[in-house]
Amino acid sequence: MREPQLRKLHRLAGIVLAPLLVLQALSGVLLSVDWLFGIHRRFGESVGDVSPGLARLWDAALVEIHYGTGVGGAVYHILLGVAIIGLAASGLGIYFHIRARQRR
């Protein structure tokens, strides 16, 4: 693929993927912090002085965002993973085009 087309595809994919990646990363960080501070041992099981209703709501929302649900969540994660691999590949392609141009 020619470099201008590759750059255009890379930018478009980055714009589409950025909010999804931020959402996945943020929910993952919050779930990990939640677990690290002992608020939850696992999904829906609160420990300490946290209101069980709020803890379950918080936990369920983060788990739904991060892991998705059922077939739809699995398809979403597969598509997101393939798109990230494609973004990395287009970035490498751009890099190799730049390197080839510098060697001339």
Side-chain angles (χ1 to χ4, degrees):
M1 185 179 283
R2 298 185 59 176
E3 188 178 358
Q5 295 164 329
L6 194 58
R7 286 179 179 271
K8 185 176 180 180
L9 178 67
H10 187 77
R11 280 193 307 269
L12 180 61
I15 289 168
V16 170
L17 289 176
L20 300 174
L21 289 173
V22 168
L23 191 60
Q24 286 296 118
L26 184 61
S27 63
V29 166
L30 292 174
L31 282 171
S32 295
V33 168
D34 209 28
W35 176 82
L36 189 62
F37 286 120
I39 296 172
H40 294 94
R41 286 188 209 129
R42 58 184 173 182
F43 175 69
E45 182 182 344
S46 61
V47 291
D49 296 333
V50 179
S51 166
L54 285 176
R56 281 197 180 91
L57 178 64
W58 171 257
D59 204 21
L62 287 176
V63 168
E64 290 289 327
I65 290 169
H66 194 70
Y67 297 110
T69 57
V71 174
V75 170
Y76 163 74
H77 283 104
I78 290 168
L79 292 175
L80 186 60
V82 168
I84 292 167
I85 292 167
L87 188 64
S90 65
L92 276 172
I94 292 168
Y95 169 77
F96 288 132
H97 278 287
I98 291 169
R99 293 285 299 201
R101 196 171 47 245
Q102 288 174 345
R103 288 188 185 149
R104 288 185 216 160

